[in-house]
Amino acid sequence: MEKTKIIPYGRQNITKEDIKAVTEALQADFLTQGPRIDAFEKAFASYIGSDYAVAVSNGTAALHLCTLALGVKPGDKVITSPITFAASANCVRYCGGEVVFADIDPETYLLDIEGVRALLEDAPKGTYQGIIPVDFAGRAVDMQAFRKLADKYGLWIIEDSCHAPGGFFRDSSGNQQNCGNGSFADLAIFSFHPVKHIASGEGGMITTNNRELYENLLQLRTHGIVKDNTLYQNSTTFAGGNGAYPGWYMEMQQLGFNYRITDFQCALGHSQLQRAEAGVTRRREIAESYVHAFNGKPYVKGQSGVVEGHAYHLYVLEVEKRKELYDYLRTQGIFAQIHYIPCHLMPYYRQFGWKEGDFPAAENYYRQCISLPMYPTLIQDEQDYVIERIITFYE
Ligand SMILES: Cc1ncc(COP(=O)(O)O)c(C=O)c1O
């Protein structure tokens, strides 16, 4: 492999079909609220296995709409993982709620359910309102177990599945449960940022099996506006009709936002969705090669491994001399990345009292983790080069 080529940790893949789909959308009548949004939502819901899907402008907007729809308010306490992108926690703050972090399981890197259980057991009932587990790196959270725990304490669940379209776990009967399928979590969210499995530039999706939440999300996505004769609160006389609402009429019934996505972004997302499963299959092959290369190496302290249902948005190695490896790989054209700096230690969250030592597993993970290149178009030669450079660095 020539050394001049840059190998990033993740990248999008835009095909001729994608360009054709976007071009068609741009030449059609609607730039924003056109038919491709609905088509993408239906296709995505069908891929994930949820009843409903709501496409929005990005994953962060999806999270914010979820906390709004669930009625998070100042004083509410919501539990999430420190090893995630800040948006998983920030959505609680947008509504004035309090973020309570709990440690990760050092083997899976996911929010440790036992830590969450301990928090809930130690507090009077009613202290916490919700949990936001994250299918971090693409590894599926056992959402059935979280549902059981949440039900005991009357909590809602938002599953942050940004890393995991195509991921799944097996429930207690051995059935495959796709990340975000709505069987256990109240709401789940996805991101279509370029490094994710499905790219639409910016973009996001909320999935759910709850019709009431779905209908509310549709309103909140577009300013809290209602366009339905049967739901109006003002009189027809006020509206300007004679016993009926005039054609132009609509009502803003709650405070929403403009979190709409465009028709041409949905054309891209929908086109990419056709290759989603093939992409996950290829990611799993890449993971197998990494495992094969690094299993048993003394400088490897942990890794994502081969795990059934893992969607491998990221492939994480935990290593000795992580900083030196990171710097060295850059000199070799390999742009590995670190996911994530623990959220509770971001200056913004430190102001609420979180400090070093609060979550030993998350903090230890952060000291050692590095995300290796992982994307479907990573070719074998490139992966071999990445592996060879890492081995050369240590041996
Ligand atoms: C776990 C997680 N949650 C939420 C988000 C937010 O998604 P977006 O960047 O589309 O706003 C991301 C994206 O990076 C993410 O990785």
Side-chain angles (χ1 to χ4, degrees):
M1 257 248 1
E2 7 130 21
K3 213 178 102 180
T4 47
K5 191 166 176 197
I6 298 282
I7 305 179
Y9 84 90
R11 75 180 309 161
Q12 77 272 22
N13 174 32
I14 303 293
T15 63
K16 282 205 294 285
E17 291 74 27
D18 293 341
I19 292 167
K20 184 162 172 278
V22 174
T23 308
E24 277 169 16
L26 289 172
Q27 288 166 336
D29 287 340
F30 303 92
L31 271 187
T32 60
Q33 298 308 281
R36 288 168 183 80
I37 297 173
D38 190 51
F40 182 36
E41 288 173 340
K42 289 207 165 62
F44 192 83
S46 150
Y47 176 58
I48 295 298
S50 66
D51 289 349
Y52 309 106
V54 179
V56 294
S57 45
N58 56 65
T60 306
L63 282 162
H64 187 192
L65 287 184
C66 289
T67 48
L68 281 171
L70 291 163
V72 174
K73 55 185 188 318
D76 282 3
K77 285 186 163 60
V78 177
I79 303 167
T80 194
S81 169
I83 298 299
T84 185
F85 185 61
S88 315
N90 295 350
C91 63
V92 176
R93 298 292 307 135
Y94 299 154
C95 295
E98 189 183 318
V99 180
V100 179
F101 295 101
D103 212 349
I104 60 164
D105 174 334
E107 297 299 315
T108 63
Y109 313 147
L110 304 176
L111 183 62
D112 181 6
I113 193 166
E114 294 315 321
V116 177
R117 194 188 311 281
L119 275 178
L120 296 172
E121 277 171 1
D122 289 350
K125 246 190 172 167
T127 301
Y128 296 93
Q129 279 65 47
I131 316 176
I132 307 180
V134 181
D135 298 313
F136 170 71
R139 184 165 181 155
V141 168
D142 181 343
M143 210 48 71
Q144 185 179 34
F146 269 96
R147 181 78 266 168
K148 205 167 150 206
L149 183 62
D151 281 349
K152 189 166 166 203
Y153 292 90
L155 310 190
W156 50 254
I157 299 177
I158 300 171
E159 179 180 3
D160 184 335
S161 295
C162 279
H163 297 182
F168 65 87
F169 74 97
R170 294 215 177 264
D171 66 18
S172 50
S173 314
N175 296 320
Q176 178 174 326
Q177 297 287 349
N178 293 347
C179 295
N181 72 359
S183 297
F184 303 106
D186 298 277
L187 296 164
I189 67 110
F190 297 85
S191 162
F192 305 130
H193 180 272
V195 294
K196 302 293 195 296
H197 290 60
I198 297 164
S200 69
E202 297 285 353
M205 192 75 83
I206 306 167
T207 53
T208 184
N209 289 351
N210 181 319
R211 185 163 185 99
E212 215 178 303
L213 285 173
Y214 166 67
E215 286 174 352
N216 199 20
L217 288 165
L218 292 178
Q219 285 185 20
L220 289 167
R221 171 176 69 177
T222 183
H223 305 283
I225 286 173
V226 177
K227 264 188 158 278
D228 179 344
N229 281 357
T230 64
L231 298 176
Y232 292 150
Q233 294 170 12
N234 284 331
S235 67
T236 54
T237 316
F238 163 79
N242 279 328
Y245 292 100
W248 68 78
Y249 194 67
M250 55 83 173
E251 283 183 358
M252 193 205 103
Q253 295 186 344
Q254 59 177 331
L255 191 61
F257 291 81
N258 175 359
Y259 282 161
R260 296 186 300 261
I261 189 169
T262 65
D263 215 42
F264 55 94
Q265 286 172 306
C266 286
L268 179 55
H270 198 165
S271 177
Q272 295 242 322
L273 182 61
Q274 317 303 317
R275 302 195 301 282
E277 208 42 40
V280 173
T281 302
R282 176 69 193 125
R283 285 170 187 271
R284 289 180 178 141
E285 283 169 13
I286 294 170
E288 283 198 22
S289 298
Y290 279 139
V291 169
H292 186 70
F294 295 122
N295 251 355
K297 297 287 185 193
Y299 43 84
V300 173
K301 302 296 166 197
Q303 57 179 321
S304 294
V306 171
V307 177
E308 193 199 15
H310 202 309
Y312 296 107
H313 163 55
L314 304 174
Y315 193 88
V316 178
L317 270 194
E318 287 182 273
V319 289
E320 285 174 357
K321 297 201 283 179
R322 187 268 311 268
K323 153 99 171 57
E324 291 84 343
L325 175 65
Y326 171 90
D327 290 342
Y328 170 74
L329 290 178
R330 293 213 147 206
T331 68
Q332 304 301 302
I334 300 165
F335 281 58
Q337 194 44 281
I338 307 304
H339 299 94
Y340 288 98
I341 301 162
C343 222
H344 68 291
L345 298 178
M346 288 290 175
Y348 175 77
Y349 282 104
R350 281 185 193 253
Q351 71 174 309
F352 300 106
W354 302 106
K355 56 187 186 318
E356 274 160 80
D358 281 346
F359 303 115
E363 292 165 33
N364 186 53
Y365 166 85
Y366 169 59
R367 281 190 284 273
Q368 312 192 129
C369 68
I370 186 161
S371 306
L372 304 184
M374 168 58 86
Y375 46 91
T377 53
L378 181 74
I379 59 171
Q380 193 61 54
D381 267 6
E382 291 168 331
Q383 189 181 10
D384 290 346
Y385 172 71
V386 172
I387 291 169
E388 183 265 317
R389 288 291 90 194
I390 295 173
I391 290 175
T392 303
F393 172 77
Y394 285 105
E395 295 180 6

